[in-house]
Amino acid sequence: MSERAPSLTLLETGFPFEAVAELVMADLRRADPAYQAHRWWARRPPALLRSVLLAATLAPRQDAELWRRYRSREAWLAGVCVADPFMGGGTTLLEAARLGADLIGADIDPVAIAIGEHQLNPPAVEDVQAAGARLLADLRERLGHLWPNEDP
């Protein structure tokens, strides 16, 4: 039985490092709420992961197609499974989900798991507002006597 050599992709043959680096620099200047909640030593910029995931699925010399897919909202990774056994902040899985991939993620840190799940399945705005209202009501009941609220 003869084995066929794996096909090379744009990722291995001509990844546009310089152009991606410019996008990464823009990502680094933007505040990342997940990173603010819990800092990982290996947090990766979304632009890097998105371009790597797409380049890994394209044949060599398809730079123009990479950028077309990068800008698109289509599910370019539908039917592809992306696994991240050390998901940390979840950037790889979040970008893979945005591209339509099936996901497998794990981490030893339960905070990483919780933040990753939240990023992939954020709560509805109404649910967050209702939880905030319940929290404020509870705080007023327990601590309101320390800070009386005098409405004019």
Side-chain angles (χ1 to χ4, degrees):
M1 178 183 213
S2 66
E3 288 189 29
R4 202 172 99 189
S7 299
L8 295 177
T9 68
L10 178 62
L11 183 60
E12 293 96 10
T13 61
F15 187 72
F17 293 101
E18 291 175 2
V20 171
E22 289 180 32
L23 291 171
V24 166
M25 292 309 294
D27 267 351
L28 293 175
R29 289 188 290 270
R30 187 171 50 91
D32 181 347
Y35 187 72
Q36 300 304 316
H38 188 52
R39 297 180 186 267
W40 287 269
W41 64 273
R43 184 75 174 164
R44 303 291 182 244
L48 174 62
L49 277 299
R50 184 178 188 84
S51 56
V52 165
L53 289 165
L54 288 168
T57 65
L58 292 169
R61 294 179 295 283
Q62 286 196 312
D63 296 51
E65 182 64 13
L66 170 71
W67 298 119
R68 187 177 81 74
R69 291 183 181 195
Y70 186 95
R71 289 187 302 271
S72 169
R73 293 185 183 265
E74 290 188 50
W76 296 108
L77 298 184
V80 173
C81 182
V82 174
D84 188 352
F86 310 101
M87 63 187 251
T91 309
T92 301
L93 295 179
L94 186 58
E95 288 303 314
R98 289 175 176 160
L99 293 166
D102 297 322
L103 310 173
I104 298 174
D107 203 293
I108 193 168
D109 184 349
V111 174
I113 298 293
I115 289 175
E117 287 175 353
H118 173 78
Q119 288 189 111
L120 292 168
N121 301 299
V125 172
E126 300 80 26
D127 293 342
V128 174
Q129 290 172 334
R134 288 192 306 273
L135 176 62
L136 285 174
D138 186 56
L139 289 172
R140 283 187 185 111
E141 181 180 322
R142 293 173 188 237
L143 305 173
H145 65 283
L146 298 173
W147 293 278
N149 184 5
E150 296 177 15
D151 292 330

